[in-house]
Amino acid sequence: MQTHTDRLIPLPENVLSLSVSQRTWNGVRVDVTEFHCTGRVAHHLGCETETRLFALLEEVGSPCEPRLRKNQPCPIGYTPRHMDFVPAGTEMWGYSADVRFVKDAALTFDLAALSERLAAKFNADVTVMPRLRFSDDRIWTLVRLLSDAVNDPDPSAQLYGDGLTAAIAARLFAGAPEPGATGKGLAPWQLRRVVEYLDAQLPQRVGLAHLAALAGLSQAHFSRAFKTSTGMAPYHWQLDARIRRAQALLIDSRASLDEVAEATGFADAVHFGRTFRKLTGATPAAWRHDRKS
């Protein structure tokens, strides 16, 4: 993951400052940008060589407007939570008559590589047509969740983001259903191989592509089958396993909370405590005290 401020330098007129956080999952680059502005803003997005999805996450001031030409208003009326799909080769501008703050997320796709990586067939007509101010609550929510994870150092964020990008691509570029992609779970040997690998790698980052390869499935098929078999998404399984390992350390050792956090892949005791309480309903110290008293 990276945080930088070198996008759109020099800054467009009336843009006071901007910051960009960036991370890549499944070969999909995710840029989350915050603009602080005053007044009218019109800026060239400069992404003609890339296929991108823009999602407006927050805005204060006049509505933001996607334009195919700087001085040509968007023909599509304003909608909340709108998104813009921009195929490679398309000129795009962002415009607002009077804006103060904007936060957006931009996903950049290498369609050929992504299709191969996900073992998915994309709808060719969908991938070449610009879509301005379109609404899809499911995709928007997935993008927002992905943007929230860009700066998350937790090891489980890798599987989490891999799963979100796969889900976004599947819905955005929907093609023919994958053969055999039914509601069936993993075969016993597949589940055993994957779970053993996850346990062996704790608390390290693990990619969804590698887990899917262990089961001989595409990422989308594997994710569905894993959840059918376990009741959990892969990232949730990994996080739950880390919490269970932490519980064992809390009971069986005198390790400090900082030491338990480090051993189970959390950034620090605060991060560990927050996650532990969210999943168990108690702080690590209270949980340990109750089990040992």
Side-chain angles (χ1 to χ4, degrees):
M1 76 195 86
Q2 303 176 33
T3 300
H4 54 88
T5 57
D6 56 354
R7 179 182 167 190
L8 302 178
I9 301 298
L11 297 177
E13 184 180 8
N14 294 330
V15 175
L16 303 178
S17 65
L18 66 85
S19 63
V20 186
S21 296
Q22 183 183 99
R23 187 166 179 171
T24 299
W25 287 281
N26 258 329
V28 177
R29 192 179 79 239
V30 182
D31 293 276
V32 179
T33 307
E34 295 186 359
F35 299 84
H36 291 268
C37 316
T38 176
R40 176 184 177 276
V41 173
H43 69 89
H44 184 223
L45 298 183
C47 57
E48 283 82 357
T49 63
E50 301 173 315
T51 295
R52 306 183 84 177
L53 172 70
F54 293 93
L56 185 65
L57 302 177
E58 296 179 39
E59 61 180 340
V60 178
S62 298
C64 296
E65 177 185 338
R67 293 184 171 187
L68 297 178
R69 298 289 184 272
K70 181 178 181 180
N71 296 315
Q72 179 179 317
C74 180
I76 311 299
Y78 172 78
T79 56
R81 295 185 171 188
H82 75 254
M83 293 175 289
D84 308 296
F85 175 68
V86 188
T90 306
E91 182 179 359
M92 278 288 294
W93 291 76
Y95 174 86
S96 177
D98 186 11
V99 66
R100 295 295 177 267
F101 175 77
V102 177
K103 180 178 180 179
D104 69 24
L107 278 62
T108 302
F109 305 97
D110 180 332
L111 293 177
L114 185 62
S115 177
E116 181 178 358
R117 188 178 183 91
L118 300 181
K121 182 179 179 181
F122 296 152
N123 186 323
D125 293 335
V126 170
T127 62
V128 298
M129 291 295 295
R131 282 180 274 171
L132 302 184
R133 279 183 165 169
F134 78 95
S135 296
D136 186 311
D137 281 344
R138 185 175 178 185
I139 293 179
W140 188 92
T141 299
L142 292 171
V143 172
R144 180 180 60 78
L145 292 172
L146 193 63
S147 70
D148 290 342
V150 164
N151 291 318
D152 189 346
D154 192 88
S156 294
Q158 186 64 47
L159 280 175
Y160 181 62
D162 285 347
L164 289 175
T165 52
I168 290 167
R171 188 168 179 90
L172 186 61
F173 308 123
E178 180 184 347
T182 65
K184 295 181 180 179
L186 297 173
W189 70 265
Q190 292 173 315
L191 182 59
R192 182 174 62 253
R193 176 179 289 183
V194 169
V195 169
E196 287 177 351
Y197 180 81
L198 282 169
D199 286 344
Q201 294 300 309
L202 281 178
Q204 304 301 316
R205 288 185 180 183
V206 175
L208 186 61
H210 189 76
L211 296 183
L214 288 175
L217 301 172
S218 72
Q219 291 187 44
H221 190 177
F222 169 77
S223 294
R224 287 191 295 267
F226 186 91
K227 189 167 185 178
T228 297
S229 293
T230 67
M232 295 181 179
Y235 85 89
H236 197 175
W237 175 278
Q238 186 190 44
L239 182 58
D240 183 73
R242 290 165 58 206
I243 292 297
R244 286 187 279 110
R245 179 169 291 186
Q247 289 173 325
L249 288 171
L250 289 171
I251 288 179
D252 297 336
S253 77
R254 300 181 65 180
S256 68
L257 296 186
D258 280 318
E259 290 169 336
V260 174
E262 182 178 1
T264 50
F266 292 94
D268 51 38
V270 174
H271 180 206
F272 167 54
R274 185 168 58 244
T275 306
F276 188 95
R277 183 171 185 174
K278 183 178 180 180
L279 294 183
T280 69
T283 66
W287 189 93
R288 171 185 257 173
H289 180 269
D290 288 345
R291 287 356 178 240
K292 287 195 169 186
S293 61

